[in-house]
Amino acid sequence: MKGSREYQIFHKFINKEKISLSDYLFIILQMPFDLIEFILRNIPGPLGFKARFIYYKFRLKKVGKNVLIDIGVVFSGHKNICLDDFCYIDKYCLLNAVSLIEIGKRTHVSSFCVLHAGMDSPIKIGNYVGVAANSKMHSSSESIEKNKRMSGPMVPLSQKNLKYGPITIKDEAFIGLNSIILPNVEIGYGAITLPNSVIRKSIKELSVVDAQGKHIMKRDLEISEMKKLS
């Protein structure tokens, strides 16, 4: 089984498989880190930002220069998470990285967002991207299938139908408030989704789409001029 070590152990548990001594040791060794993160997660102000930056420099796969991680942010699958320079993860976000999550330079993920990178389905967000509050990205999602359950994470994989696929958001894009992005979607360069969008299909560069993902206009943004500003 692929995915993060936490993911592997969890699925052994729900499938009633034997959990090895090394698995138990891994869980025990995580306990001090869980306690440290619980404390750091709730430290307000500049001190909290600095403490979290230093700590996650060692815990995540990559943390670039001047990254901001606000209060209440929860990470899972630490070694699958990359945050580039001047990235800002706002209050109470959840990043669950069964596979890779990459967030680019000067990108802002606003409050209460959820990024779930399912098995073999990375989420890659480019540079200068804005992700508005309460947006969700799921690169694996339960889908309707005859005689399959849709009961959540406690059901073995063999009993449900999962749709997998990477999510890619190109540079300069903007994801509107309360948007949902589903597997196998690419948001093109400079594209915009309006609030409350449900995005099931890829969006072309510079396209502005409505809540159903339908193109409504083209954004006036010159790639060459934006690169000069970088």
Side-chain angles (χ1 to χ4, degrees):
M1 183 184 293
K2 298 181 180 179
S4 64
R5 183 72 180 274
E6 296 96 328
Y7 179 85
Q8 295 173 25
I9 295 170
F10 175 73
H11 278 277
K12 284 184 180 180
F13 170 73
I14 64 171
N15 286 307
K16 298 187 287 186
E17 297 175 10
K18 183 178 180 180
I19 297 176
S20 68
L21 181 61
S22 64
D23 290 334
Y24 280 115
L25 183 59
F26 175 82
I27 294 168
I28 292 169
L29 291 175
Q30 295 308 300
M31 292 173 64
F33 294 109
D34 292 340
L35 180 59
I36 292 169
E37 289 190 31
F38 175 79
I39 295 168
L40 290 177
R41 196 176 292 142
N42 298 288
I43 300 175
L47 177 61
F49 279 113
K50 188 64 176 179
R52 286 185 289 271
F53 174 78
I54 293 170
Y55 175 78
Y56 285 116
K57 266 281 192 182
F58 297 95
R59 285 284 281 154
L60 303 186
K61 183 174 182 179
K62 176 185 176 181
V63 175
K65 296 182 295 184
N66 298 315
V67 167
L68 295 178
I69 300 169
D70 218 321
I71 62 170
V73 174
V74 176
F75 295 110
S76 178
H78 296 68
K79 292 304 179 183
N80 288 334
I81 297 173
C82 299
L83 308 177
D84 213 334
D85 301 345
F86 291 94
C87 168
Y88 182 11
I89 310 299
D90 219 322
K91 298 177 181 67
Y92 302 107
C93 289
L94 170 61
L95 279 70
N96 183 24
V98 176
S99 55
L100 186 67
I101 295 178
E102 288 183 350
I103 301 177
K105 294 177 182 178
R106 296 190 184 273
T107 286
H108 177 220
V109 179
S110 194
S111 301
F112 302 103
C113 287
V114 175
L115 277 62
H116 172 71
M119 187 169 61
D120 299 323
S121 305
I123 294 175
K124 297 184 179 181
I125 303 176
N127 303 324
Y128 297 93
V129 173
V131 181
N134 208 39
S135 293
K136 312 290 188 297
M137 300 180 196
H138 292 268
S139 67
S140 68
S141 176
E142 295 185 25
S143 59
I144 299 170
E145 181 70 22
K146 184 179 179 180
N147 298 327
K148 293 289 186 179
R149 292 192 164 103
M150 296 186 67
S151 309
M154 299 306 289
V155 176
L157 293 177
S158 60
Q159 298 180 22
K160 55 188 178 181
N161 185 49
L162 285 177
K163 180 181 179 182
Y164 294 96
I167 293 173
T168 303
I169 301 178
K170 298 290 190 178
D171 298 350
E172 307 287 353
F174 181 78
I175 309 303
L177 189 74
N178 295 318
S179 291
I180 298 173
I181 302 176
L182 297 174
N184 279 317
V185 165
E186 178 176 295
I187 308 294
Y189 177 93
I192 295 175
T193 71
L194 295 186
N196 301 308
S197 297
V198 179
I199 307 300
R200 299 180 177 88
K201 297 181 180 180
S202 295
I203 299 170
K204 294 180 180 179
E205 68 175 33
L206 302 177
S207 183
V208 180
V209 302
D210 64 13
Q212 287 74 46
K214 183 180 178 181
H215 175 86
I216 56 176
M217 63 178 289
K218 187 173 182 179
R219 187 178 179 190
D220 186 10
L221 188 71
E222 294 185 20
I223 297 175
S224 60
E225 291 300 314
M226 298 307 295
K227 287 182 177 179
K228 291 178 184 178
L229 298 174
S230 297

